[in-house]
């Protein structure tokens, strides 16, 4: 079967198309999936470009969507023909995070082979059903970016109608967070480096937009927009370069979902302001399979569909990552085959 592999030590010019052995028929408890789409995440980029070291010949990509071709003995949840989407942590069925999800050792496309391939045979628990009527490309956005936004807002932050949410930037996680928050009756403030992207966010329902290049003190701008009160929840994909402003922007007793490393991996945190805000700072990595099932159900009920900026062929994966690095995208980038 055709697959993309990362040749050690990584690098976008070291992604290679290979003909790998077909994974064969599923054993007991397994399913065979004909994969048709993946979506690109920052984590996949770090594996592909060698920033996160991985095994030589690793098949990248955590997100995979396709059709069940065969089920092994004892599998009752799926049937051939079902449309499915992969789980970021196949070993996390439900409940709070635990030791095994404190690293990427069991994550497809990092510790184990991912889904930039024609077929996969995995335990049935490595997939969930995809939303009815969705394309494979749309479904592929669920695994990482979509589920992270869902878990942050609904799992950790306990979002409710009337809340005010701040999302930073217009990448995959933040745009899905905007859409979920609007579907659930929240008010949403979006930041971006681009006025044009802010207009697109408003077209998706954002109530306010702030250009963070023009307003370095965007946390203050958020407070002004909320009558000095601050927001209930912050979706924080930036990390050290944005956290101080996010703490400024959050209300007393509010919640910050610390999701990303877009501005780096360590830095200074104004701890006294965080304390004075009496805010909860919650680190998170994606979510459980149960949360993915709940997210799929919510997507079907609300009718929310992901925003796909651009689709590439699987063979163009390196080009797709370069497009992602350029930072001009809005929402998700996918590869299809
Ligand atoms: N913890 C988790 O479970 C989890 C899951 C998924 C992703 N992540 C992390 O979350 C981050 C975002 O992931 P993604 O997939 O959404 O990435 P992405 O689609 O590549 O989004 C990048 C966007 O972030 C915005 N951005 C960049 N620098 C910024 C800054 N200084 N302030 C505000 N916004 C900034 C930009 O938006 P504008 O162009 O509008 O300025 C950019 O387009 C990454 O660090 C990723 O590793 C974590």
């Amino acid at each position: 079967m055709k697959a993309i592999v990362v040749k050690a030590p990584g690098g976008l010019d070291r992604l290679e198309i290979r003909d790998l052995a077909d994974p064969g028929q599923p054993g007991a408890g397994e399913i065979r999936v004909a994969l048709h789409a993946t979506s690109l995440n920052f984590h996949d980029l770090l594996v592909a470009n060698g920033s996160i070291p991985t095994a030589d010949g690793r098949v990248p990509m955590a997100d995979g969507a396709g059709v069940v071709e065969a089920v092994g003995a004892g599998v009752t949840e799926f049937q051939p023909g079902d449309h499915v989407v992969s789980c970021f942590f196949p070993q996390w069925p439900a409940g709070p995070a635990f030791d095994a999800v404190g690293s990427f050792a069991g994550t497809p496309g990092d510790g184990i082979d991912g889904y930039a391939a024609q077929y996969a045979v995995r335990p049935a628990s490595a997939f969930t059903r995809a939303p009815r009527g969705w394309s494979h490309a749309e479904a592929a956005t669920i695994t990482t970016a979509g589920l992270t936004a869902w878990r942050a807002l609904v799992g950790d932050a306990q979002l409710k109608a009337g809340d005010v949410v701040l999302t930073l930037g217009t990448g995959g996680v933040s745009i899905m967070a905007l859409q979920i928050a609007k579907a659930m009756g929240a008010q949403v403030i979006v930041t971006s480096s681009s006025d044009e992207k802010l207009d697109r966010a408003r077209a998706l329902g954002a109530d306010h937009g702030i250009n963070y290049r023009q307003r370095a003190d965007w946390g203050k701008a958020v407070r002004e927009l909320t009558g000095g009160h601050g927001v209930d929840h912050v979706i924080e994909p930036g990390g050290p370069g944005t956290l101080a402003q996010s703490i400024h922007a959050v209300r007393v007793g509010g919640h910050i979902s610390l999701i990303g490393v877009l501005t780096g991996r360590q830095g200074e945190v104004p701890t006294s302001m965080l304390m004075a805000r009496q805010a909860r700072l919650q680190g998170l990595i994606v979510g459980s399979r149960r949360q993915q099932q709940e997210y799929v159900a919510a997507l079907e009920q609300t009718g929310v569909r992901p925003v796909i900026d651009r689709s590439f062929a699987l063979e163009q994966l390196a080009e797709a990552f370069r497009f992602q690095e350029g930072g001009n995208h809005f929402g998700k980038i996918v590869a299809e085959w």
Side-chain angles (χ1 to χ4, degrees), residues 40-43 46 144-145 148 168-174 191-194 197 212 218 237-238 241-242 258-263 284-286 324 327-329 331-332:
L40 280 70
N41 297 286
F42 199 64
H43 182 89
L46 297 180
T144 306
T148 300
L168 307 190
T170 57
V173 175
S174 293
T191 72
S192 176
S193 58
S194 149
K197 287 182 176 182
Y212 62 80
W218 46 266
T242 50
L258 183 58
I259 289 172
V261 293
L262 287 169
T263 64
L284 68 146
I285 304 282
V286 194
Q324 181 186 14
N328 290 320
H329 60 285
K332 292 297 299 179

Side-chain angles (χ1 to χ4, degrees), residues 200-224:
R200 292 177 71 182
R202 283 191 197 92
L204 282 174
D207 298 275
H208 304 283
I210 302 167
N211 187 318
Y212 62 80
R213 291 253 164 84
Q214 289 164 14
R215 285 268 336 231
D217 62 343
W218 46 266
K220 186 164 176 241
V222 169
R223 294 196 84 75
E224 288 161 8

